Amino acid sequence: MSTTKKQPVRASLAAFLGTMIEWYDFYIYAFASAMIFGSLFFETESAFIATMASFATFAIGLLVRPLGAVFFGHLGDKIGRKKSLVITLFMMGISTIGIGFLPTYAQIGVGAPVLLIILRIIQGLSVGGEWGGAVLIAAEHAPANRKTFFASFAQLGSPAGLILATIAFRLISGMDDEALYSYGWRLPFLASFGLLVVGYLVRRSVNESPEFVEAQKKAEQERLENKNQPEVAPFKELFAKMPKVILLAIGANVLGIAGFYFVNTFMLSYTTAYLKMDRTLILNVLLLVSFVQFFSQPISALVGEKFNSYKFLLFTSFVCIFSPYLMFTLVDTQNPTMMVIGISITVIFMAGYYSVIAGFLTTLFPVHLRYTAISVAYQFCGAIAGGLTPLIGTALAEMYAGSWVPLAIFYSFISFLTLACVFFLNPKKNATY
């Protein structure tokens, strides 16, 4: 196989490794925020306030992601996908490793949380630019009829990162408290170094996107022909020319993002706080479901690619309107096998949608705006839906204690909103290929 023919495979592998590192870093920070950071980085006698302060640093990373999407989207649309992705990879890896070396509040005082926040902001900015570039480097290297499948490898990083993060924290959770709080918590962060090295070596071997190179040549020719025409920033041009499409694209990401937070983050809280289930049991259930998601996503991408991505997205989002009722019925049995089956059914359709939406969205925007467009769509949705979904779910669970019906209705609403946005993103009217 020639080097050129190997590029689609290398590009999809680079996309997978990059988003896997992104999600691994995201989840180990989430776990550490819930379990450890409150007592190490915030000086207060109240465990509740310390935990809330720790979660606030977690939220900061979500809130700055849209800024990263705009900045790295601009960079990726102007100087290239590959260069932007190398920068985001190093920013993400170095900031995560830096957290592993941080001194605690007991060692340097208020400087500890300040440094933690700075590194968290760097993480958030880099993640804001990582996903869009990873999707594009895979999709734009793929053959014309295989873009959905190759782009889905960027989405596969999500369950892979969750699996790695869960295993990492399960390995250190067996330590005694003294070892865990002195050095044990640092190990999952420092392990990111190995992932960073592998990710860089693979990403370095990938050529620049051929579609971007072609678009750059065309743009250069147009600039020579129209010397007096001012250059417009991709973000500004996007909202000037395609406001409806970008807003619908933001809405089309809701199920993939909010659904994932609902099934993982909120389900952990719901089962332990309201069903009084053992935390280890539900973690084991969710870990098994993560493996189901990991292996089902590529199959869904192949099915979506074969039978029309648009129709597949409409079908899976429609099924997701009804799936939570079966899920909660089986979760309420508190039987581990039934719980795995119930959550897996919902996850298979939600993850199926998630695996296909990335490749589908790339077809809606011209090459010179594409990095900015899909990054903005994903990260703006992530900041809103990712932040609000666990909060709304927790509020409903508290308000209607003893009944899961309002929670299922909320998930149905998420699915219906997504279905409506996809319906109006008809590729026959919006496609750029």
Side-chain angles (χ1 to χ4, degrees), residues 294-420:
F294 182 82
F295 289 109
S296 69
Q297 277 191 202
I299 298 172
S300 295
L302 286 171
V303 172
E305 188 173 77
K306 184 175 178 62
F307 294 102
N308 185 292
S309 296
Y310 178 64
K311 292 179 181 179
F312 183 82
L313 292 171
L314 291 175
F315 170 72
T316 49
S317 55
F318 177 77
V319 172
C320 284
I321 295 174
F322 305 99
S323 64
Y325 302 92
L326 175 62
M327 176 178 69
F328 278 110
T329 298
L330 294 180
V331 167
D332 270 11
T333 65
Q334 300 192 33
N335 178 289
T337 302
M338 292 295 101
M339 291 176 67
V340 170
I341 293 172
I343 299 175
S344 292
I345 291 172
T346 295
V347 163
I348 285 171
F349 288 99
M350 181 269 290
Y353 178 92
Y354 182 69
S355 69
V356 172
I357 187 63
F360 174 76
L361 290 180
T362 64
T363 66
L364 304 179
F365 301 98
V367 177
H368 72 289
L369 299 177
R370 194 174 288 157
Y371 200 138
T372 298
I374 68 169
S375 295
V376 164
Y378 188 83
Q379 301 302 346
F380 272 71
C381 180
I384 299 168
L388 291 180
T389 297
L391 294 177
I392 294 173
T394 301
L396 289 173
E398 185 68 23
M399 193 180 304
Y400 299 96
S403 174
W404 51 258
V405 174
L407 299 171
I409 292 173
F410 174 52
Y411 191 91
S412 295
F413 171 75
I414 289 171
S415 304
F416 179 78
L417 174 64
T418 302
L419 172 65

